[in-house]
Amino acid sequence: METISRISSMLETARELTLEAAQSAAMSRGSTTGLTSRNVNTAHIKKLLDSRNDREVLDGMRRVITLMYRSEPSLPFFSAVVKNVANANLEVKKLVYIYLVHHAEAEPDLALLSINTIQKSLTDQNHQVRAMALRTMSGIRVPVISQIVSLAIKRGCGDMSPLVRKAAALAIPKCYRLDPNTLPQLIGYLSTLLGDSQYFVAGPAVCAFLEVCPEKIELIHKHYRGLVRKLVDMDEWGQIATIRLLTFYARKCFPRRTEKVKQAVSKGFYDDDEDTENSGGKEYEIPIIDPDLELFFRSCRLLLQNRNSAVIVSVVRCFLYLAPPEYFSATVGPLVALLRSPQDMQLIALYNIVAVCLRQPAPFTKYVSHFLVHASDPPHIWRLKLEVLTILFPHCGLHLKGVIISELEHFSQGADPELVRESVRAIGRCAQSDPSTGDHCLSILLKQVTSLDDNLVSESLTVVRHLIQQDPGSHERTVIELVKHLGMTNNPDARATIVWLVGEFAGVEPEKNIAPDILRILVKDFSNEAEVVKQQIILLGAKVYLHHLLRNPPKEEEPPAPSEVKQEYRNEWTDDKEDEVKEYNDQIQQHPEPEEDRITLLWRYLLLLARYDTSYDLRDRARLYKSLLASPSSTQLANLLLLAPKPVPHAPSPSETRKGLLIGSSTLVIGPDTGPLGLKGYQDLPDWVDPGQEPDPSLRETDIKSDLAEKAPLTAGERLDRALKEHESTAASASAKRNERMPGVAASQAKNKSLNEWLEDESEEETDSEEEVTDSEEGETEEEETDEEEEEEEETEEETDSEEDGAATQLLSRNGTQFQGSSKDVL
């Protein structure tokens, strides 16, 4: 018969699977047909929803949910779906609740019709049904039912099932968003759920706390140690929320304390004086960690092997902002290990690594090889890797520095223009951060000036210019070398950079002034240069002419110009005064026109070339410089504008602006300037609480739970064990007392005893122990009685003992076998 029933059940299961496959195939065919088939399908779905067969109703609900997730109109089925909210089938109930949560805002009046049925489900025997009902009631976003939702949460907080309590914790933020006036009630529910003994209830409770009332930090005091102990067992979302909450809590409740410690100094063999001991090593401060905070650190350290990268980043944030450096060094390896994740996770990990390296770069130096660029890395990955390498460069040893420079030199000669540009800039940042390697980096960049890649040449010259400006006095030969390469490069940016360097540094010392000769060579082909180069040539000419004026200042009394003399004599010219003509010729010979020097002629020729150029910007620049240098006696303004000392350029890390952002936040990855107002919800860590203003540490004591533990109901096994232990202890004490009273008789009788006699003795021992307890109580309350009265009471008690022993023996003789069997079960 069992075989036949098994075969029939298998056939029934096969039949159901066949029907479901046929229905799904029909649905797929119906979705590919036209509008008429859709109308037929709609009518068919309503017919299925109105059916009394659970299988047909389930089929109809599946079709409706399919339409809903395809973004096809499913709202016309609302009334038919609401009718099935009281269906006893669990699968149907799940789909109905999903539909109600999705469409309740569109039809609030019809959604209210299902509230009573959902409330009845809150008292269902199945804990899954209760949890789904609570989740659905909080998800129906109708403000009218806010108080009903609050009462449902209150009932869920006291439910025996942890699944329902978890649903209550997740419903608290929804209720708060629905009606903020319910906040006082929700805070009470949160206080209860934060102290829940189940770890998967405490995690959602912490998430709800962070959203509803994160400023109510006083609610966490009594639950702090419990949350720390449950941290390891929580799910990933609960761990992230709990670490965030406890990090904020630590800043507000644990002040930073330090202790001065004197460095130990080795004492010589003959140094016996106390003065030598007291005048020992240096004093330095060490942090003092609160025991509760250290408990939090130990729990967080266990999470460094977590499979979720967000949990690892949260632990890194905790140790970075709270713990001493020795705790933080343990987080570097797991953080670097995230680079083996997919590219989207690599990007987030690299952003956090860059932010951490800007604060504490030393622990990452032994992982330099993990940041070398791979050929398969996309641009957003290798940019961050190059940035990490430049940050770690000054903290590495000589071998690692050579490896980094070699890698950057290799990628600077690649085919990707962006990678070439970033690699050259990285070499420049390395040279600026570590001056000892500046000459080596500069030699690499000067070799690349002769490259055929214009992009590489221009970027290399820009970096060389920055390095020269760091220490101009030690780079005289560098400028001369660049001038030699001026005729080899045709890149406008490269030529403009070299011309600017010549004008800035070549004319400082008169003995080594090569700027006029370079200007003379450049002016010959001025018309064929690019506009950027022309602008620098004009600037070079102005600087050369200004240096000439400063070295050769004009005389204070200048002779009258020959033109003025000519005009004066022409006005007085007369045909009849030949002697005056002779006098005029003598005066012209006395004041000849002075010959202009070559630099002045070169400057005027350059102004004429710029005057007829097609670029109006260039013409305006030439007019500006001409007006500045028009009066040789007043060159102060020109000196201030042209020869003023330029600020030394510094190329910081591209992520320097994100240095102050919180580790693990979305703002760190996306950027602080995203959108008109940035990302909402960003919250920085609070400052450390001042010593003396922290809350009392006794608030974190959990001795209240001991009373609750005693009142907690015991299981059947625990009760049996407890009764057995009490029975053994009382029997042993009673037998010891009886042996003290009659030692000889007890020894003789113990040899020949039957099972019934042994059982009678045990019952006597139990009654004796009970009477001894009553005796002790009476003795405590009646301390003033005389010895005679106590003897009389003992005699009466012994008489009652004998009577009760006789009754017990009779009962045991009747039911001896039953007691024996029950005792075996207990044992």
Side-chain angles (χ1 to χ4, degrees):
M1 294 299 292
E2 294 180 0
T3 307
I4 294 173
S5 62
R6 189 179 300 174
I7 293 172
S8 62
S9 64
M10 292 173 63
L11 291 174
E12 184 66 23
T13 305
R15 180 175 175 274
E16 291 178 357
L17 293 173
T18 305
L19 288 174
E20 290 180 1
Q23 289 169 1
S24 61
M27 288 179 62
S28 62
R29 286 197 303 269
S31 61
T32 57
T33 55
L35 183 62
T36 56
S37 63
R38 285 186 182 176
N39 295 334
V40 174
N41 196 14
T42 302
H44 180 61
I45 291 174
K46 287 185 177 180
K47 184 178 179 181
L48 292 173
L49 294 174
D50 295 336
S51 176
R52 295 184 179 180
N53 189 356
D54 290 345
R55 185 181 297 164
E56 293 181 355
V57 175
L58 181 60
D59 183 22
M61 285 304 304
R62 286 174 177 172
R63 292 169 183 257
V64 172
I65 298 299
T66 302
L67 293 175
M68 185 177 71
Y69 283 109
R70 286 179 180 175
S71 300
E72 297 183 12
S74 57
L75 193 59
F77 306 105
F78 198 94
S79 58
V81 171
V82 170
K83 294 177 184 177
N84 295 303
V85 73
N87 197 306
N89 192 343
L90 185 60
E91 297 296 328
V92 174
K93 196 180 290 290
K94 288 180 182 178
L95 297 178
V96 171
Y97 285 167
I98 292 172
Y99 183 87
L100 281 176
V101 172
H102 193 271
H103 290 294
E105 284 184 296
E107 293 287 344
D109 297 333
L110 291 176
L112 292 176
L113 298 176
S114 61
I115 296 300
N116 292 332
T117 307
I118 297 174
Q119 277 186 297
K120 292 179 182 178
S121 300
L122 293 174
T123 58
D124 196 274
Q125 294 182 355
N126 191 347
H127 65 282
Q128 292 184 356
V129 175
R130 298 198 300 271
M132 283 194 305
L134 182 55
R135 194 181 301 118
T136 304
M137 186 174 290
S138 60
I140 296 176
R141 293 174 292 274
V142 180
V144 181
I145 64 170
S146 59
Q147 293 299 327
I148 300 175
V149 175
S150 178
L151 293 175
I153 294 172
K154 181 179 180 181
R155 177 178 294 177
C157 292
D159 198 279
M160 294 295 294
S161 173
L163 184 63
V164 182
R165 298 199 298 272
K166 178 180 179 181
L170 294 174
I172 288 176
K174 300 177 184 177
C175 184
Y176 175 71
R177 290 193 294 265
L178 195 64
D179 185 9
N181 295 324
T182 58
L183 181 60
Q185 306 169 13
L186 299 178
I187 291 177
Y189 306 153
L190 273 176
S191 180
T192 303
L193 293 173
L194 285 171
D196 197 280
S197 59
Q198 296 292 334
Y199 57 87
F200 53 86
V201 179
V206 171
C207 296
F209 176 84
L210 289 174
E211 184 171 351
V212 174
C213 53
E215 71 282 353
K216 298 283 184 180
I217 204 70
E218 62 274 5
L219 296 178
I220 310 298
H221 294 319
K222 57 183 178 181
H223 306 302
Y224 172 80
R225 295 178 183 173
L227 290 174
V228 170
R229 293 189 184 98
K230 288 176 247 182
L231 179 62
V232 180
D233 298 323
M234 292 180 183
D235 61 329
E236 286 85 355
W237 293 107
Q239 288 171 348
I240 295 169
T242 306
I243 292 174
R244 177 179 176 84
L245 171 63
L246 296 182
T247 303
F248 279 78
Y249 180 87
R251 281 293 188 99
K252 293 182 179 180
C253 301
F254 299 113
R256 300 186 71 177
R257 290 190 175 94
T258 56
E259 182 182 4
K260 289 186 177 180
V261 179
K262 183 175 289 187
Q263 187 178 3
V265 178
S266 60
K267 181 180 170 184
F269 182 78
Y270 296 103
D271 295 338
D272 296 331
D273 298 335
E274 295 181 356
D275 297 336
T276 57
E277 295 178 2
N278 296 330
S279 62
K282 301 178 181 178
E283 287 188 353
Y284 60 94
E285 293 183 352
I286 59 172
I288 300 176
I289 304 175
D290 192 273
D292 287 332
L293 185 59
E294 190 174 1
L295 178 66
F296 177 44
F297 291 158
R298 289 200 300 267
S299 298
C300 287
R301 181 175 289 180
L302 299 175
L303 300 177
L304 289 174
Q305 307 301 325
N306 199 289
R307 62 183 179 181
N308 194 326
S309 58
V311 177
I312 296 175
V313 173
S314 299
V315 176
V316 172
R317 176 178 59 196
C318 168
F319 285 167
L320 180 65
Y321 295 120
L322 300 180
E326 57 268 17
Y327 283 88
F328 173 74
S329 59
T331 65
V332 176
L335 184 60
V336 174
L338 296 179
L339 297 178
R340 294 193 292 266
S341 305
Q343 289 184 356
D344 53 347
M345 301 305 300
Q346 284 186 41
L347 178 65
I348 298 174
L350 282 170
Y351 270 115
N352 288 278
I353 288 172
V354 169
V356 174
C357 287
L358 289 172
R359 299 170 64 96
Q360 295 188 15
F364 290 89
T365 52
K366 58 182 178 181
Y367 300 102
V368 167
S369 60
H370 292 77
F371 302 106
L372 299 178
V373 179
H374 301 285
S376 59
D377 289 339
H380 58 273
I381 297 294
W382 56 252
R383 277 195 179 92
L384 293 173
K385 285 187 175 182
L386 291 179
E387 187 175 356
V388 175
L389 289 176
T390 55
I391 294 173
L392 300 180
F393 182 79
H395 304 277
C396 297
L398 293 176
H399 172 68
L400 291 178
K401 286 180 181 178
V403 171
I404 293 174
I405 293 296
S406 300
E407 287 290 321
L408 294 178
E409 183 181 3
H410 170 72
F411 286 110
S412 64
Q413 298 173 358
D416 188 1
E418 291 293 329
L419 182 57
V420 169
R421 188 178 298 112
E422 292 297 329
S423 300
V424 173
R425 292 175 182 175
I427 293 175
R429 289 200 298 271
C430 291
Q432 289 183 2
S433 60
D434 189 6
S436 61
T437 60
D439 295 338
H440 181 51
C441 294
L442 188 61
S443 63
I444 292 174
L445 295 173
L446 289 176
K447 290 178 183 177
Q448 295 173 348
V449 172
T450 59
S451 175
L452 298 177
D453 187 2
D454 294 340
N455 183 30
L456 175 60
V457 172
S458 61
E459 197 62 40
S460 299
L461 283 173
T462 303
V463 175
V464 168
R465 176 173 63 85
H466 292 170
L467 295 179
I468 291 175
Q469 288 183 260
Q470 300 286 332
D471 187 12
S474 60
H475 292 289
E476 296 177 359
R477 301 295 305 173
T478 305
V479 177
I480 297 174
E481 290 293 328
L482 290 176
V483 172
K484 294 179 180 178
H485 297 297
L486 188 59
M488 302 179 186
T489 177
N490 296 322
N491 191 343
D493 295 332
R495 294 178 66 82
T497 301
I498 296 174
V499 172
W500 185 88
L501 287 172
V502 170
E504 190 69 20
F505 303 109
V508 176
E509 297 182 6
E511 298 80 7
K512 301 178 181 180
N513 190 3
I514 60 172
D517 291 333
I518 296 172
L519 178 63
R520 176 179 57 82
I521 297 171
L522 291 173
V523 165
K524 295 179 180 180
D525 200 20
F526 180 82
S527 59
N528 297 326
E529 297 284 356
E531 184 177 353
V532 181
V533 184
K534 290 180 180 179
Q535 292 175 0
Q536 296 300 325
I537 293 174
I538 292 290
L539 180 61
L540 175 61
K543 291 179 179 180
V544 169
Y545 184 58
L546 179 59
H547 280 297
H548 173 69
L549 294 178
L550 293 175
R551 291 177 186 134
N552 302 307
K555 297 180 181 180
E556 296 181 358
E557 296 181 359
E558 294 182 355
S563 58
E564 296 178 359
V565 177
K566 290 180 181 179
Q567 186 65 29
E568 180 182 357
Y569 280 93
R570 284 172 183 171
N571 294 335
E572 297 177 0
W573 177 262
T574 53
D575 296 336
D576 53 352
K577 295 182 178 180
E578 296 179 355
D579 53 347
E580 293 181 0
V581 174
K582 186 177 180 181
E583 184 179 357
Y584 167 72
N585 293 329
D586 295 339
Q587 194 170 1
I588 291 296
Q589 293 177 358
Q590 292 178 2
H591 302 283
E593 292 186 359
E595 295 183 359
E596 293 184 342
D597 55 284
R598 296 179 180 179
I599 294 180
T600 305
L601 292 175
L602 186 61
W603 169 242
R604 290 187 178 182
Y605 177 65
L606 183 60
L607 290 178
L608 288 175
L609 291 176
R611 180 178 180 181
Y612 297 101
D613 197 87
T614 57
S615 174
Y616 63 88
D617 186 17
L618 192 65
R619 296 196 299 268
D620 292 343
R621 287 172 183 262
R623 273 193 226 100
L624 172 64
Y625 298 145
K626 180 180 179 180
S627 60
L628 280 175
L629 302 173
S631 57
S633 59
S634 60
T635 57
Q636 297 179 357
L637 182 60
N639 189 11
L640 182 63
L641 291 177
L642 298 178
L643 301 181
K646 308 299 186 296
V648 178
H650 178 68
S653 180
S655 298
E656 192 72 28
T657 56
R658 307 187 185 192
K659 184 178 180 180
L661 296 177
L662 191 64
I663 304 298
S665 61
S666 301
T667 308
L668 178 65
V669 178
I670 300 175
D673 301 328
T674 305
L677 299 175
L679 287 177
K680 295 182 179 179
Y682 175 78
Q683 185 180 6
D684 204 353
L685 282 177
D687 296 331
W688 289 92
V689 64
D690 296 331
Q693 297 183 358
E694 71 276 8
D696 190 2
S698 62
L699 295 174
R700 292 187 288 272
E701 298 293 335
T702 55
D703 52 353
I704 303 173
K705 292 186 177 181
S706 60
D707 300 334
L708 298 176
E710 292 178 359
K711 297 179 182 179
L714 298 176
T715 61
E718 291 174 350
R719 290 179 182 176
L720 289 174
D721 293 339
R722 188 183 226 179
L724 184 59
K725 290 179 181 178
E726 291 177 357
H727 170 69
E728 292 175 353
S729 61
T730 53
S733 61
S735 62
K737 289 183 178 180
R738 189 166 56 253
N739 292 335
E740 289 177 358
R741 293 176 185 175
M742 297 179 293
V745 177
S748 61
Q749 289 179 355
K751 295 180 180 179
N752 300 318
K753 278 188 179 181
S754 61
L755 178 61
N756 293 331
E757 291 176 352
W758 279 107
L759 295 175
E760 289 173 4
D761 293 340
E762 290 179 357
S763 62
E764 289 174 2
E765 290 171 0
E766 290 179 358
T767 54
D768 290 339
S769 62
E770 292 176 358
E771 288 167 359
E772 286 174 4
V773 174
T774 57
D775 290 342
S776 62
E777 293 177 354
E778 290 176 358
E780 290 176 357
T781 56
E782 299 176 358
E783 294 178 355
E784 298 178 357
E785 293 183 355
T786 61
D787 298 336
E788 296 177 356
E789 293 176 352
E790 291 178 355
E791 291 176 358
E792 292 176 359
E793 288 178 357
E794 288 177 357
E795 291 175 358
T796 55
E797 288 173 359
E798 288 176 357
E799 292 175 0
T800 54
D801 289 341
S802 61
E803 293 174 359
E804 291 177 355
D805 291 341
T809 52
Q810 291 177 1
L811 291 172
L812 290 171
S813 62
R814 293 175 185 174
N815 303 323
T817 56
Q818 295 179 1
F819 186 82
Q820 186 177 1
S822 62
S823 63
K824 289 180 180 179
D825 295 337
V826 172
L827 295 173

